[in-house]
Amino acid sequence: MSARLLIKNVRPMGVAEADILIQHGRIASIAPGIAAEGVRVEEGGGRIAIPGLVEAHTHLDKSLLGMKWYRNEVGPKLLDKIENERQAKTDLGIDPALQSRRQALQSVTFGSTHIRSHVDVDTVHGLAGIEGVMHTREELADIVDIELVAFPQSGLMIREGTLDLMRQALERGVEVVGGLDPCGIDRDPKGHLDAVFDLADQYGVPVDIHLHEPAELGAFSMEMIFERTRALAMQGHVTISHAFCLGMSDDAYVGRLIDDLATLSIRIVTTGPASRPAPPVARLRAAGVVVGSGNDGIRDTWGPYGNGDMLERAMFVGLRNNFRRDDEMDIALDTVTAGGAAVMELSDYGLSEGCGGDVVLLDGETVAEAIVTHAPRALVVKRGRVVARDGRLEGVA
Ligand SMILES: [Zn+2]
């Protein structure tokens, strides 16, 4: 893309004022007083500039955004929610292409420029989710980057044929292998994790596993993930999403797990959940563990919450972690920017020369204020092209 855009008078990451010049889809220069000849200019008005927000964990294929309100009467167990959802997809006629487009565009208005979406693969709906989200990804290629994770939501070992579908998804260009509660759902941690890591090894792709299992059970699964990461030399290519077990009360045990996560460069993704034990973000970061964040499913059959706003999500991460100081709020912002980018292994992410030309302008005197107010995003730029302004899409059909 050849767009040239000069964003005048912004404060990169909330500090000293500068202009940002984007050309050929990349940040060409960040400096005060860049000359503006023959370039499209946007006036930043002293706002904070950050790189694009990163939605590092969501489920684009099954949001109910824009559909009739879903009356949730689902049972309390994880399996209740899984079975209910598989049936609801048929009953409600959830269209993965349409729904992923709705959610992705809403995320863009909130300033997300990269999205990692887990997408269901199961023996009832096959690859319909994958095909739908891939369609959206192509359609929105100039507006937002979408990465897919093949996600065996209904179980991998307990439903014959799922593994083959996972393979087919990877053949079609899905970038990441997903997994889910090796003990709690498949009740076969060795079988599940061997299958997931075998796929990753065969196709040379990263792994991102949902791990809701609590306390010692989650820690047990986590240790099995460590073994396989080590054996296949997959350091830097494994992510554990949710990782509720890191919120357990056995401080010394958590410390040992964190040490291994750091040594093996395994990333953690958290939503900052209000109602579950949660990974201690500041402690993980202090130990050198990358932490990203995501909204997880929004407005779906699992729950009525969520809107796709990663800046609001940063506030939830802050609330869950008892962040109050401004330097702690910087950590919250990092989870929805650089942390998420590291989870997605983005090589050209950031607000410096040579990085991708993705910039979001925030209202607020400081980063902390921008997070707690999370006002509509003044400007969202993807590879040098304005895609949203004042919380609304721009130039998108
Ligand atoms: Zn999820």
Side-chain angles (χ1 to χ4, degrees):
M1 187 177 283
S2 61
R4 288 184 82 208
L5 178 69
L6 180 62
I7 311 173
K8 297 283 291 178
N9 305 314
V10 294
R11 288 176 297 130
M13 306 314 283
V15 287
E17 210 159 281
D19 301 342
I20 302 175
L21 177 65
I22 302 172
Q23 53 189 14
H24 309 300
R26 299 198 165 271
I27 295 176
S29 172
I30 302 184
I34 298 176
E37 280 154 49
V39 190
R40 180 176 170 181
V41 175
E42 289 286 347
E43 173 54 48
R47 291 187 178 83
I48 299 170
I50 61 169
L53 291 163
V54 180
E55 164 68 91
H57 185 125
T58 190
H59 295 263
L60 290 178
D61 54 318
K62 50 194 191 178
S63 173
L64 303 176
L65 270 179
M67 294 176 69
K68 208 169 159 314
W69 183 259
Y70 176 72
R71 184 171 175 79
N72 191 320
E73 294 173 321
V74 187
K77 290 185 298 189
L78 194 57
L79 209 56
D80 296 331
K81 296 177 177 72
I82 291 170
E83 282 168 2
N84 172 72
E85 181 179 61
R86 211 170 50 240
Q87 186 59 40
K89 282 182 182 175
T90 306
D91 298 346
L92 302 177
I94 300 171
D95 175 349
L98 177 60
Q99 293 313 111
S100 59
R101 182 185 162 88
R102 280 178 169 154
Q103 185 183 328
L105 288 176
Q106 183 155 315
S107 294
V108 169
T109 67
F110 286 122
S112 286
T113 55
H114 293 84
I115 299 174
R116 170 178 278 190
S117 177
H118 297 252
V119 183
D120 287 3
V121 170
D122 69 58
T123 52
V124 173
H125 301 286
L127 299 182
I130 299 282
E131 284 159 5
V133 179
M134 281 188 160
H135 182 77
T136 291
R137 158 157 77 184
E138 246 167 72
E139 261 192 349
L140 304 185
D142 291 338
I143 296 160
V144 59
D145 287 320
I146 298 173
E147 180 184 64
L148 283 80
V149 184
F151 178 47
Q153 171 78 83
S154 293
L156 187 54
M157 309 309 287
I158 46 170
R159 294 174 69 88
E160 214 188 315
T162 307
L163 186 57
D164 192 47
L165 287 164
M166 293 282 286
R167 205 169 279 124
Q168 290 176 36
L170 292 162
E171 296 281 351
R172 290 195 197 188
V174 167
E175 292 96 341
V176 185
V177 186
L180 170 75
D181 292 349
C183 300
I185 300 297
D186 270 348
R187 295 168 182 266
D188 178 5
K190 184 175 186 308
H192 182 95
L193 291 172
D194 282 348
V196 165
F197 277 86
D198 266 3
L199 286 174
D201 191 37
Q202 266 175 44
Y203 290 89
V205 294
V207 165
D208 188 339
I209 295 181
H210 280 65
L211 192 60
H212 309 92
E213 293 164 2
E216 282 80 5
L217 184 63
F220 169 77
S221 291
M222 207 176 252
E223 285 165 350
M224 293 187 72
I225 293 169
F226 296 163
E227 287 165 12
R228 283 154 183 78
T229 303
R230 216 175 273 123
L232 294 173
M234 281 191 64
Q235 290 89 340
H237 305 295
V238 175
T239 296
I240 302 177
S241 287
H242 304 309
F244 295 147
C245 62
L246 293 174
M248 71 179 165
S249 57
D250 187 336
D251 197 66
Y253 196 178
V254 170
R256 288 202 301 278
L257 294 171
I258 289 177
D259 288 346
D260 280 341
L261 289 167
T263 306
L264 295 168
S265 297
I266 294 176
R267 284 89 193 236
I268 297 296
V269 170
T270 184
T271 62
S275 51
R276 295 295 185 93
V281 172
R283 184 177 177 189
L284 283 157
R285 293 245 328 187
V289 179
V290 168
V291 183
S293 185
N295 284 298
D296 205 3
I298 69 169
R299 294 279 299 275
D300 57 18
T301 65
W302 290 64
Y305 301 108
N307 58 10
D309 185 353
M310 288 307 296
L311 202 56
E312 184 185 63
R313 182 58 52 188
M315 182 180 76
F316 293 144
V317 169
L319 281 166
R320 187 65 182 81
N321 286 274
N322 197 20
F323 289 169
R324 293 162 192 268
R325 294 164 50 100
D326 284 64
D327 54 3
E328 292 171 329
M329 297 304 274
D330 289 340
I331 296 176
L333 184 73
D334 191 80
T335 66
V336 300
T337 53
V343 166
M344 290 182 66
E345 302 184 33
L346 305 177
S347 57
D348 63 346
Y349 181 85
L351 213 52
S352 51
E353 286 168 20
C355 291
D358 302 342
V359 178
V360 178
L361 298 191
L362 308 179
D363 281 308
E365 189 183 329
T366 63
V367 162
E369 189 187 11
I371 290 173
V372 297
T373 56
H374 49 276
R377 303 313 103 84
L379 198 72
V380 181
V381 172
K382 179 67 185 172
R383 285 191 283 274
R385 174 184 171 192
V386 175
V387 291
R389 187 188 301 275
D390 299 325
R392 290 212 168 85
L393 292 171
E394 180 164 300
V396 178

